[in-house]
Amino acid sequence: MVFNFQAIHLLTVSFQEFGLQSFNMGTCLSKRQHVEEDGEHPVEFAGGNVSLVTTKDIWDQKMSEASKEGKIVIANFSATWCGPCRMIAPFFSELSEKYPSLMFLLVDVDELVEFSTSWDIKATPTFFFLKDGQQVDKLVGANKPELQKKVAAAVDSVVPSQK
Protein backbone atom coordinates (compact mmCIF):
# COMPACT_ATOMS: atom_id res chain seq x y z
CA MET A 1 0.00 0.00 0.00
CA VAL A 2 1.35 3.43 -0.93
CA PHE A 3 0.56 6.40 1.31
CA ASN A 4 0.45 9.97 0.12
CA PHE A 5 2.20 11.53 3.10
CA GLN A 6 1.70 15.07 1.79
CA ALA A 7 -2.08 14.52 1.71
CA ILE A 8 -1.97 12.96 5.18
CA HIS A 9 0.06 15.91 6.46
CA LEU A 10 -2.41 18.41 4.98
CA LEU A 11 -5.32 16.49 6.48
CA THR A 12 -3.57 16.38 9.85
CA VAL A 13 -2.84 20.10 9.73
CA SER A 14 -6.49 20.78 8.82
CA PHE A 15 -7.74 18.74 11.78
CA GLN A 16 -5.22 20.36 14.11
CA GLU A 17 -6.59 23.77 13.12
CA PHE A 18 -9.89 22.58 14.62
CA GLY A 19 -8.18 21.22 17.74
CA LEU A 20 -8.55 17.56 16.79
CA GLN A 21 -5.63 15.19 17.07
CA SER A 22 -7.26 12.48 14.98
CA PHE A 23 -10.66 11.62 13.64
CA ASN A 24 -13.14 8.90 12.83
CA MET A 25 -16.27 9.45 10.76
CA GLY A 26 -19.01 10.70 13.08
CA THR A 27 -16.87 10.78 16.22
CA CYS A 28 -14.64 13.18 18.11
CA LEU A 29 -11.47 11.84 19.64
CA SER A 30 -9.92 14.92 21.26
CA LYS A 31 -11.15 18.05 22.98
CA ARG A 32 -11.63 21.09 20.78
CA GLN A 33 -10.27 24.31 22.22
CA HIS A 34 -11.83 27.76 22.31
CA VAL A 35 -15.36 26.81 21.22
CA GLU A 36 -16.62 30.05 22.74
CA GLU A 37 -14.44 32.11 20.43
CA ASP A 38 -15.56 30.60 17.14
CA GLY A 39 -19.10 32.00 17.22
CA GLU A 40 -20.88 28.65 17.37
CA HIS A 41 -24.36 28.67 18.83
CA PRO A 42 -25.03 26.47 21.84
CA VAL A 43 -26.94 23.25 21.28
CA GLU A 44 -29.41 22.03 23.88
CA PHE A 45 -27.99 18.62 24.69
CA ALA A 46 -30.52 17.61 27.34
CA GLY A 47 -33.83 18.61 25.76
CA GLY A 48 -37.00 16.55 25.57
CA ASN A 49 -37.03 13.70 28.09
CA VAL A 50 -33.24 13.50 28.31
CA SER A 51 -31.91 13.71 31.87
CA LEU A 52 -28.55 15.35 32.39
CA VAL A 53 -26.27 13.33 34.67
CA THR A 54 -23.90 15.65 36.50
CA THR A 55 -22.77 13.39 39.37
CA LYS A 56 -22.18 9.71 40.06
CA ASP A 57 -24.98 9.88 42.66
CA ILE A 58 -27.45 11.06 40.01
CA TRP A 59 -26.27 8.20 37.75
CA ASP A 60 -26.86 5.67 40.53
CA GLN A 61 -30.28 7.18 41.27
CA LYS A 62 -31.31 6.96 37.60
CA MET A 63 -30.04 3.37 37.29
CA SER A 64 -32.04 2.39 40.37
CA GLU A 65 -35.14 4.15 39.06
CA ALA A 66 -34.80 2.44 35.66
CA SER A 67 -34.37 -0.99 37.27
CA LYS A 68 -37.46 -0.52 39.46
CA GLU A 69 -39.51 0.59 36.45
CA GLY A 70 -38.09 -2.09 34.15
CA LYS A 71 -36.79 0.54 31.74
CA ILE A 72 -33.89 0.22 29.36
CA VAL A 73 -31.46 3.12 29.69
CA ILE A 74 -29.80 4.80 26.74
CA ALA A 75 -26.81 6.76 28.01
CA ASN A 76 -25.21 9.25 25.65
CA PHE A 77 -21.60 10.00 26.62
CA SER A 78 -21.02 13.27 24.82
CA ALA A 79 -19.10 16.55 24.81
CA THR A 80 -20.28 20.08 24.12
CA TRP A 81 -17.24 20.80 21.91
CA CYS A 82 -17.79 17.73 19.70
CA GLY A 83 -19.35 18.48 16.30
CA PRO A 84 -20.97 15.06 15.79
CA CYS A 85 -22.32 15.21 19.37
CA ARG A 86 -23.88 18.59 18.62
CA MET A 87 -25.34 17.21 15.40
CA ILE A 88 -26.98 14.15 17.02
CA ALA A 89 -28.22 15.92 20.21
CA PRO A 90 -31.55 17.14 18.76
CA PHE A 91 -32.24 13.67 17.31
CA PHE A 92 -31.47 12.04 20.68
CA SER A 93 -33.92 14.48 22.27
CA GLU A 94 -36.59 13.60 19.66
CA LEU A 95 -36.10 9.90 20.36
CA SER A 96 -36.55 10.55 24.09
CA GLU A 97 -39.95 12.11 23.41
CA LYS A 98 -40.99 9.40 20.96
CA TYR A 99 -40.05 6.52 23.29
CA PRO A 100 -41.05 7.41 26.89
CA SER A 101 -40.81 3.71 27.85
CA LEU A 102 -37.01 4.11 27.73
CA MET A 103 -34.82 6.30 29.93
CA PHE A 104 -32.50 8.69 28.07
CA LEU A 105 -29.45 10.03 29.91
CA LEU A 106 -26.72 12.44 28.90
CA VAL A 107 -23.24 12.37 30.44
CA ASP A 108 -20.80 15.16 29.58
CA VAL A 109 -17.42 13.43 29.45
CA ASP A 110 -15.66 16.65 30.44
CA GLU A 111 -17.85 17.16 33.51
CA LEU A 112 -17.57 13.56 34.73
CA VAL A 113 -14.07 12.67 33.58
CA GLU A 114 -13.31 9.83 36.01
CA PHE A 115 -16.75 8.32 35.62
CA SER A 116 -16.54 8.48 31.80
CA THR A 117 -13.08 6.93 31.93
CA SER A 118 -14.52 4.01 33.90
CA TRP A 119 -16.80 3.33 30.90
CA ASP A 120 -13.75 3.24 28.60
CA ILE A 121 -15.01 6.00 26.30
CA LYS A 122 -12.68 6.17 23.27
CA ALA A 123 -14.72 8.62 21.17
CA THR A 124 -17.80 10.79 21.45
CA PRO A 125 -20.64 10.36 21.14
CA THR A 126 -20.86 6.86 22.60
CA PHE A 127 -24.29 5.43 23.38
CA PHE A 128 -24.69 2.62 25.90
CA PHE A 129 -27.89 0.59 26.09
CA LEU A 130 -28.33 -0.75 29.63
CA LYS A 131 -30.79 -3.09 31.29
CA ASP A 132 -30.58 -3.44 35.06
CA GLY A 133 -27.31 -1.51 34.90
CA GLN A 134 -25.70 -3.99 32.50
CA GLN A 135 -24.65 -3.15 28.96
CA VAL A 136 -26.82 -4.86 26.33
CA ASP A 137 -25.68 -2.82 23.32
CA LYS A 138 -23.39 0.04 22.32
CA LEU A 139 -23.03 2.52 19.47
CA VAL A 140 -20.01 4.72 18.86
CA GLY A 141 -20.52 7.71 16.58
CA ALA A 142 -23.31 10.01 15.43
CA ASN A 143 -25.03 7.51 13.14
CA LYS A 144 -28.73 8.48 13.15
CA PRO A 145 -30.06 5.42 11.25
CA GLU A 146 -28.11 3.02 13.47
CA LEU A 147 -29.18 4.84 16.64
CA GLN A 148 -32.81 4.72 15.49
CA LYS A 149 -32.47 1.00 14.75
CA LYS A 150 -30.94 0.22 18.15
CA VAL A 151 -33.54 2.31 20.00
CA ALA A 152 -36.36 0.53 18.13
CA ALA A 153 -34.81 -2.82 19.06
CA ALA A 154 -34.63 -1.73 22.69
CA VAL A 155 -38.32 -0.76 22.62
CA ASP A 156 -39.20 -4.12 21.06
CA SER A 157 -37.33 -5.92 23.84
CA VAL A 158 -39.41 -4.24 26.58
CA VAL A 159 -42.25 -6.29 28.04
CA PRO A 160 -45.50 -5.23 26.26
CA SER A 161 -47.15 -3.95 29.47
CA GLN A 162 -44.28 -1.46 29.90
CA LYS A 163 -44.42 0.06 26.42
Side-chain angles (χ1 to χ4, degrees), residues 39-145:
E40 290 184 21
H41 300 288
V43 172
E44 186 174 349
F45 276 82
N49 293 322
V50 178
S51 297
L52 180 61
V53 176
T54 55
T55 67
K56 173 76 167 77
D57 288 339
I58 292 173
W59 174 270
D60 292 340
Q61 177 187 359
K62 291 295 185 180
M63 289 297 110
S64 176
E65 182 183 319
S67 288
K68 286 177 188 170
E69 297 175 7
K71 288 187 172 186
I72 292 177
V73 173
I74 303 169
N76 175 4
F77 285 77
S78 197
T80 57
W81 50 264
C82 168
C85 299
R86 295 166 59 88
M87 186 269 310
I88 199 93
F91 185 65
F92 190 67
S93 178
E94 287 173 25
L95 290 172
S96 76
E97 292 173 343
K98 185 174 180 181
Y99 299 105
S101 63
L102 305 175
M103 181 180 287
F104 290 78
L105 303 179
L106 175 73
V107 178
D108 185 328
V109 297
D110 292 322
E111 296 296 321
L112 290 176
V113 175
E114 286 182 35
F115 179 70
S116 298
T117 301
S118 73
W119 281 88
D120 198 29
I121 305 299
K122 301 281 189 225
T124 55
T126 296
F127 300 91
F128 286 98
F129 294 75
L130 310 166
K131 181 156 180 74
D132 296 321
Q134 300 299 310
Q135 180 181 330
V136 293
D137 206 350
K138 178 180 174 180
L139 173 65
V140 178
N143 183 329
K144 286 183 181 182

